[in-house]
């Protein structure tokens, strides 16, 4: 085999169709867009239009709702905490809170607070301040000799004050 004999596999490189280059090209005149009208124009097309019939997205009933007051919590499992303590990223003697978790790299950001989940095992005695925790997580921390303090979720700045 020589360098000048090296070639791609047959059909691996397909030429781009150049539309609107004469009737002889097979994609001339209307360039494969059919006749005139809205669908032949660029940038305009009726999405979901069914010829005057009520479109599917309007025939189907609405479901559910989005709670605008929902507080998003970042979740942390016990095994992640233990790994961070073993790697000396977290100080077990100090209080572990959202800022400590972000600083150590366990969490990227705290969102509306932190929720402690019970996957894994905790060997260190730690005091943790979180905005929520599962029963199994609290039991595991207390079994290891630590304590869990549940904080109130952070209120949004724009929330109306009770008057």
């Amino acid at each position: 085999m020589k360098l000048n004999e090296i070639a791609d596999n047959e059909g691996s490189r397909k030429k781009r169709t150049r539309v609107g280059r004469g009737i002889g090209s097979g994609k001339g005149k209307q360039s494969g867009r059919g006749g005139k009208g809205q669908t032949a124009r660029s940038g305009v097309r009726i999405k979901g239009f069914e010829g005057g019939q009520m479109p599917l997205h309007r025939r189907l009933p609405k479901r559910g709702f989005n709670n605008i007051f929902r507080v998003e919590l970042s979740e942390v499992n016990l095994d992640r905490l233990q790994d961070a303590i073993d790697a000396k990223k977290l100080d077990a003697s100090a209080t572990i809170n959202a800022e400590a978790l972000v600083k150590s790299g366990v969490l990227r950001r705290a969102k509306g607070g932190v929720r402690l989940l019970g996957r894994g095992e905790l060997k260190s005695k730690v005091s943790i301040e979180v905005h929520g925790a599962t029963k199994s997580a609290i039991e595991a921390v207390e079994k290891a000799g630590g304590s869990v303090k549940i904080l109130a979720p952070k209120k949004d700045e724009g929330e109306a004050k009770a008057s």
Side-chain angles (χ1 to χ4, degrees), residues 30-45:
Q30 277 126 346
S31 308
R33 286 176 171 265
K36 295 185 265 185
Q38 189 171 19
T39 54
R41 311 283 182 254
S42 72
V44 205
R45 169 106 8 139

Side-chain angles (χ1 to χ4, degrees), residues 1-9:
M1 177 174 278
K2 299 183 184 78
L3 279 175
N4 66 331
E5 292 173 357
I6 296 173
D8 276 334
N9 293 335

Side-chain angles (χ1 to χ4, degrees), residues 142-157:
E142 287 172 351
K143 188 176 136 192
S147 63
V148 177
K149 182 181 177 189
I150 306 292
L151 307 169
K154 285 194 284 191
K155 298 279 187 209
D156 288 342
E157 313 304 314

